[in-house]
Amino acid sequence: MAKLTVFPPFQEACTYTLPLKVTSIGRAKDSDLPIDDSRTSRRHCMISFADDQFFLEDTLSTHGTYLNQERVQARHALKDGDLISIGGTELRFTADADEIQIDDQLQTDPGGELSFPVGKLIRDYRPGQSGQGKNVRSFLHPTQDQAIFSLRDFGVELLAHTHLQPVLDLTLDFASRAVPARRGVLMLRNADSNQLQPEAIRAFGGGVRKSPIPISRSIVNAVFESKASLLTRDAQLDERFGSSESVLEDDVHSAICTPLWSEKRVVGLIYLDRGMNQEPFTKEDLCLLSSLANMAALKIENARLFEEALEKRALEEQLSLASEIQKGLLPRGYPEASGCDLAAFQIPCFQVGGDYYDFFPLEGGRFGLAIGDVSGKGLGPSLLMATLRAFFCSQLRLGRSLPELFNDLSSFISESSNYGTFITFFYGEMDPATGSLRFANAGHNAPIIIGRGAKHLPATGLPLGIFPERGYEEGETRLEAGEVLVLYTDGVTERRNREDDEFGESRLRDVVEGARGLGAQEILDTLQTSIKDFGDQTMLQDDMTLVILRRGLGG
């Protein structure tokens, strides 16, 4: 489709795709294309579409609308390359083709009529030496001075842009001016799929092209794989080229294609073609386009790195904020519970994690304690866990039975997350006076009560969100004086060392058993030291959360 490249004063250029309808332009925020420029009227101008053509019209602006430096007095048809000025802002109109068509019938010989490795082509380039003979010179083909000036001007214009899309638009527009063509396509290699994708398409000379531009797949593959610029002077005489009906119908006479080569890898290519009423491309055109492409390739790589850096910085800022918010959701202290000692810690694998723990003061001196783990790691699980926490806290205040509460939690997670996402979750209510512990366990790692032996609190249902209709049961146990309850996520027991051994549940039990006479915080500190020493300096593979509850000897 057609586009406007907007050049605001003292700001980075941006690109706006024109819809096939009326587009209002002005300082008003509700304009289709708002312009942040004090010298622009609120309703400055509009661009409309009719009869396969875009038209520019001033809408009674204060300072006027200018098209190619002439004030617009009436409705005016736009053509490719037109420059619109409103206030201190300039807008360049480009009439793009809708798409390209990679044509398998265009089986051009990969060698083409003229094909050179880019490095040799530029090294041997001598502007002014036409392949058509010393006395033959078309105004289409660059002289030595024109080539030098083109490369200089292109380099200067490239310096003005740091973002990728303006660089791509400038490259294709400048290439068409330096090496006049009927149509052009700029394609980039997708970093993930390694496939070439069109990023800028032009049908030079005005109008809006609705049919795809056919491009030979063999040209694309040859240029991309061999790092060689390729020129076909007369496609109609090449029987491999001429066998394609689309080429005959599309009136392709001469084609030129060069890689965007940064001396490290091919990042894309530029394709230009001419029709039967235009002179064929020459080696000089090929050399000049190759030089432009090499200058552009480095800038494209830099623009990509710049945008990736911006995205990374923005993501890091968002993650840092999310991390602070998540830390704020964790308990700031422990409930006052006579005869019970509590301690907890959490280490996310990344800046944010999907682990969760919490404490809740209840009536009669009782308190609740919860621990959970969302499947997966990172920002998504952390958001889901924050959602679970909010829903859980709101439902807990209603005083419902644990099976009812867990049934609703499971239904909520099933409705609020993608298929296959689940949460393991344990919640218990402790009475410090009696040591009684009522609990429900939705598939979480079985908490361990460690005293003279070890006792596990088994699952009373499946993880939340898997089969919400299955239902949950309530379990009950008792902590004797001096016993320790350990709640943990699988990031603790699955912590690996350099030999790829796991910390494991047995090692967890042994450490707690050896420190059972200490307070909850000392037990937790001992565990943290053991886990750290075991893992050495290896990276965390998962979030780690530990909650220690020790019932005192006087309990």
Side-chain angles (χ1 to χ4, degrees):
M1 287 302 302
K3 297 179 182 179
L4 287 176
T5 304
V6 184
F7 301 92
F10 311 112
Q11 298 180 42
E12 182 67 38
C14 60
T15 302
Y16 175 81
T17 300
L18 285 168
L20 303 182
K21 61 178 185 179
V22 175
T23 299
S24 60
I25 304 174
R27 201 175 71 254
K29 292 183 179 180
D30 60 350
S31 298
D32 296 318
L33 177 53
I35 303 295
D36 185 14
D37 183 346
S38 60
R39 288 168 289 178
T40 301
S41 299
R42 287 178 53 79
R43 309 289 179 189
H44 200 104
C45 63
M46 67 178 186
I47 294 177
S48 57
F49 181 80
D51 301 324
D52 290 344
Q53 181 69 54
F54 285 96
F55 295 89
L56 173 66
E57 188 173 349
D58 184 81
T59 50
L60 302 178
S61 63
T62 303
H63 301 293
T65 300
Y66 292 82
L67 180 63
N68 300 324
Q69 300 183 349
E70 293 187 8
R71 186 159 186 164
V72 174
Q73 303 294 344
R75 190 167 178 251
H76 199 290
L78 291 172
K79 65 181 185 299
D80 186 72
D82 276 345
L83 192 63
I84 304 167
S85 300
I86 58 173
T89 300
E90 291 188 342
L91 306 93
R92 181 186 296 142
F93 174 81
T94 52
D96 288 8
D98 280 344
E99 58 183 343
I100 68 168
Q101 174 185 355
I102 302 297
D103 196 329
D104 290 311
Q105 295 184 42
L106 307 187
Q107 296 298 325
T108 306
D109 181 358
E113 288 193 32
L114 186 61
S115 177
F116 292 98
V118 173
K120 182 178 187 301
L121 191 65
I122 296 172
R123 197 165 52 243
D124 297 343
Y125 180 26
R126 296 292 183 271
Q129 297 177 5
S130 171
Q132 296 180 344
K134 295 182 179 180
N135 298 323
V136 180
R137 168 61 56 195
S138 165
F139 73 94
L140 285 175
H141 305 311
T143 65
Q144 183 174 7
D145 288 343
Q146 288 171 339
I148 293 173
F149 291 150
S150 293
L151 293 173
R152 181 204 63 187
D153 293 345
F154 183 53
V156 171
E157 290 199 36
L158 278 177
L159 293 175
H161 303 289
T162 53
H163 287 275
L164 181 60
Q165 192 58 52
V167 170
L168 300 180
D169 291 335
L170 170 64
T171 298
L172 192 53
D173 290 340
F174 205 99
S176 71
R177 297 201 300 269
V179 183
R182 185 176 56 149
R183 297 170 315 189
V185 176
L186 189 152
M187 305 176 74
L188 291 185
R189 179 167 63 177
N190 185 287
D192 298 324
S193 65
N194 207 36
Q195 298 295 313
L196 286 170
Q197 295 180 344
E199 299 292 343
I201 308 171
R202 298 285 188 271
F204 304 114
V208 178
R209 177 189 172 87
K210 291 189 174 181
S211 58
I213 295 177
I215 299 180
S216 166
R217 183 182 298 277
S218 58
I219 284 183
V220 169
N221 290 342
V223 170
F224 183 60
E225 294 171 4
S226 66
K227 302 182 181 69
S229 291
L230 187 146
L231 162 66
T232 296
R233 289 195 179 93
D234 195 337
Q236 303 291 344
L237 296 181
D238 187 330
E239 56 183 38
R240 291 174 295 272
F241 227 124
S243 64
S244 171
E245 293 183 3
S246 59
V247 171
L248 296 172
E249 293 173 0
D250 226 52
D251 193 29
V252 176
H253 180 205
S254 182
I256 190 172
C257 191
T258 188
L260 292 161
W261 185 37
S262 67
E263 295 188 359
K264 296 179 181 178
R265 62 190 185 110
V266 176
V267 300
L269 59 82
I270 299 175
Y271 168 89
L272 302 175
D273 69 23
R274 288 176 179 167
M276 291 299 295
N277 62 340
Q278 296 175 294
E279 291 191 29
F281 294 110
T282 67
K283 179 182 176 181
E284 292 170 333
D285 297 318
L286 189 68
C287 292
L288 178 54
L289 184 62
S290 298
S291 299
L292 288 170
N294 273 264
M295 293 175 66
L298 181 59
K299 186 66 176 184
I300 288 170
E301 287 283 80
N302 289 339
R304 274 181 164 174
L305 292 174
F306 174 74
E307 292 191 349
E308 288 173 3
L310 288 181
E311 291 174 2
K312 183 179 179 181
R313 185 172 67 182
L315 179 60
E316 288 175 348
E317 290 175 353
Q318 293 173 13
L319 287 174
S320 179
L321 177 59
S323 177
E324 291 302 314
I325 294 173
Q326 189 174 42
K327 289 176 183 176
L329 297 177
L330 295 175
R332 289 182 170 81
Y334 305 113
E336 294 183 5
S338 176
C340 286
D341 193 11
L342 287 162
F345 92 99
Q346 181 181 93
I347 302 177
C349 181
F350 302 121
Q351 284 182 275
V352 291
D355 279 10
Y356 164 66
Y357 76 89
D358 214 340
F359 303 108
F360 305 91
L362 303 174
E363 294 179 353
R366 299 178 301 120
F367 64 89
L369 64 167
I371 190 169
D373 185 1
V374 181
S375 58
K377 295 180 282 292
L379 186 57
S382 74
L383 293 173
L384 184 58
M385 186 55 82
T387 304
L388 170 71
R389 176 187 182 274
F391 185 78
F392 178 70
C393 291
S394 66
Q395 296 299 306
L396 190 61
R397 295 189 183 97
L398 301 179
R400 309 167 69 194
S401 69
L402 294 186
E404 290 177 330
L405 177 59
F406 270 59
N407 285 338
D408 286 349
L409 283 175
S410 187
S411 297
F412 174 74
I413 294 302
S414 179
E415 295 168 359
S416 305
S417 59
N418 297 327
Y419 177 78
T421 300
F422 61 89
I423 300 178
T424 64
F425 190 69
F426 173 91
Y427 172 72
E429 293 183 348
M430 178 72 182
D431 186 345
T434 64
S436 172
L437 178 67
R438 297 169 52 248
F439 66 90
N441 184 356
H444 194 75
N445 301 83
I448 311 171
I449 297 177
I450 298 175
R452 294 180 179 177
K455 179 171 62 176
H456 293 78
L457 304 185
T460 61
L462 294 173
L464 302 177
I466 293 185
F467 295 112
E469 68 278 0
R470 289 289 180 88
Y472 295 85
E473 297 178 358
E474 180 180 308
E476 187 169 0
T477 189
R478 174 183 169 84
L479 259 71
E480 302 295 342
E483 289 188 326
V484 178
L485 172 65
V486 182
L487 310 180
Y488 64 95
T489 58
D490 56 13
V492 173
T493 52
E494 294 177 4
R495 178 76 169 112
R496 294 181 178 274
N497 61 13
R498 294 184 183 277
E499 287 72 40
D500 205 33
D501 298 324
E502 289 188 349
F503 187 75
E505 184 188 305
S506 60
R507 190 174 278 105
L508 173 68
R509 291 198 310 266
D510 292 343
V511 173
V512 175
E513 174 64 33
R516 190 163 60 91
L518 304 175
Q521 188 60 54
E522 287 80 7
I523 296 174
L524 184 66
D525 292 342
T526 303
L527 262 175
Q528 283 185 271
T529 301
S530 297
I531 295 169
K532 181 180 178 181
D533 291 344
F534 176 83
D536 199 3
Q537 298 299 316
T538 59
M539 292 181 60
L540 288 181
Q541 295 88 16
D542 200 356
D543 307 324
M544 293 197 303
T545 301
L546 268 169
V547 176
I548 303 295
L549 165 59
R550 183 180 185 277
R551 190 166 184 235
L553 295 176

